[in-house]
Amino acid sequence: MNTSPADFAARLRARQRIIGYWVVLDNPVGTERLAGLGYDYICVDAQHGLLDYKGTLGAMTAIDARGTAAGMVRVPANDGFWIGQALDAGARGVIVPLVNTAEEAAAAVAACRYPPLGVRSYGPMRSGLRVGPAPAEANQQVACIVMIETAQALANTAEICATDGLDGVYIGPSDLTIALGGRTSTDTSVAEKFEAALAKVAEEARTAGIAAGIHCPDGATAAGRLAQGFTFATVSSDLVHLEQAAAAHLRDATA
């Protein structure tokens, strides 16, 4: 599926079909193996994942060791410090959570770009080995994606998607389901409203000419979302699959 990690941002901006995987565990060797399976990107979750900055740095190094997948980071918050740190570690893109307005989206974009396009501070201690390192080159090679996961963000989707320099939007299904009135993160009673929200986000992104992504519980769901108009999708996570595989083997062994 993938080409070169250096092409990731360009492919994302061109709305090409891209499939990724989600990592929440601080397990560089496991992440390295995942990065060689053929996914276009591996996204490390620094917001809800079980790893700190050293873990994120180790994951980016492990991903680059395979040389086929692009390393991404979901940062803890829409803050220049977290965004800059993830990019300095070598991430080729960031997913920024809880972005509710076009102004907040613009701040995320600015944090991803060196002057004069943004406010990113220059200190690519590791990223300079892989991304850029000239500021203008790094600006082109780094993708900025913001999450649509609240009622406020859904109301402002068109304005967010129109933000200058923004490369994509990303649906957080759990938070969006709760924001739409769900009692749990998978409450099917709001399924109709949820599907309408997804269609709205995908269409607004298409109109703006930016990428539209979504997190999915499995590959079949990812295929369905891509067929609906999303341009990139992430499949499950390492922790979920570890538990599922272990449970399946236990069932087989005790049948």
Side-chain angles (χ1 to χ4, degrees), residues 22 41 43-44 47 72-77 83 93-97 143-147 169-170 232 234:
W22 203 255
Y41 64 90
C43 186
V44 174
Q47 183 191 23
M72 294 233 295
V73 176
R74 176 164 73 171
V75 295
I83 293 171
V94 292
I95 296 178
V96 182
C144 181
I145 301 162
V146 302
M147 295 192 72
V169 290
Y170 189 77
F232 70 105
T234 313

Side-chain angles (χ1 to χ4, degrees), residues 42-158:
I42 305 292
C43 186
V44 174
D45 188 355
Q47 183 191 23
H48 293 302
L50 306 173
L51 68 178
D52 58 11
Y53 175 67
K54 286 186 177 180
T56 299
L57 180 62
M60 292 300 105
T61 304
I63 293 165
D64 281 340
R66 297 305 294 269
T68 56
M72 294 233 295
V73 176
R74 176 164 73 171
V75 295
N78 187 7
D79 183 280
F81 170 77
W82 295 117
I83 293 171
Q85 190 176 69
L87 296 179
D88 287 349
R92 293 187 178 275
V94 292
I95 296 178
V96 182
L98 297 171
V99 170
N100 294 311
T101 66
E103 291 76 17
E104 292 176 0
V109 172
C112 290
R113 311 288 183 232
Y114 291 116
L117 300 181
V119 297
R120 181 182 173 188
S121 177
Y122 191 81
M125 294 302 167
R126 178 176 180 274
S127 65
L129 300 173
R130 299 280 184 171
V131 184
E137 293 173 352
N139 286 346
Q140 286 296 315
Q141 294 171 9
V142 165
C144 181
I145 301 162
V146 302
M147 295 192 72
I148 304 293
E149 52 185 344
T150 67
Q152 186 180 5
L154 191 61
N156 293 327
T157 299

